[in-house]
Amino acid sequence: MRNSAIPIVTGIVVGFGLKLVFFSTPTVAADIDSTKRVSIDVSEMHRQIKNLPVENFHDMTFGFSNGG
């Protein structure tokens, strides 16, 4: 039993190593234009947003109501 397990384990390890060598994903270089980002001024967005819809709901998180 032990004599047949060693070649099987060795074959699996070698096969896995060959898979990593031949079927690995290619390394992709980043495009220089992808690093240029447009900055967003969040405070200006908050000042411009008006009349947002509000949804009210009865919160029963703890199993009792606040109304009594």
Side-chain angles (χ1 to χ4, degrees), residues 29-38:
D31 188 14
I32 192 70
D33 293 331
S34 66
T35 57
K36 296 178 184 176
R37 296 186 183 225
V38 178

Side-chain angles (χ1 to χ4, degrees), residues 7-62:
I8 292 172
V9 171
T10 304
I12 291 172
V13 170
V14 169
F16 184 72
L18 290 174
K19 177 188 173 293
L20 289 177
V21 170
F22 291 115
F23 297 112
S24 63
T25 57
T27 305
V28 178
D31 188 14
I32 192 70
D33 293 331
S34 66
T35 57
K36 296 178 184 176
R37 296 186 183 225
V38 178
S39 63
I40 298 174
D41 188 9
V42 178
S43 62
E44 184 67 28
M45 289 173 59
H46 284 290
R47 277 186 248 129
Q48 291 178 356
I49 296 175
K50 296 177 182 164
N51 298 329
L52 289 176
V54 177
E55 181 178 346
N56 295 322
F57 64 95
H58 185 70
D59 187 14
M60 294 289 290
T61 302
F62 297 107

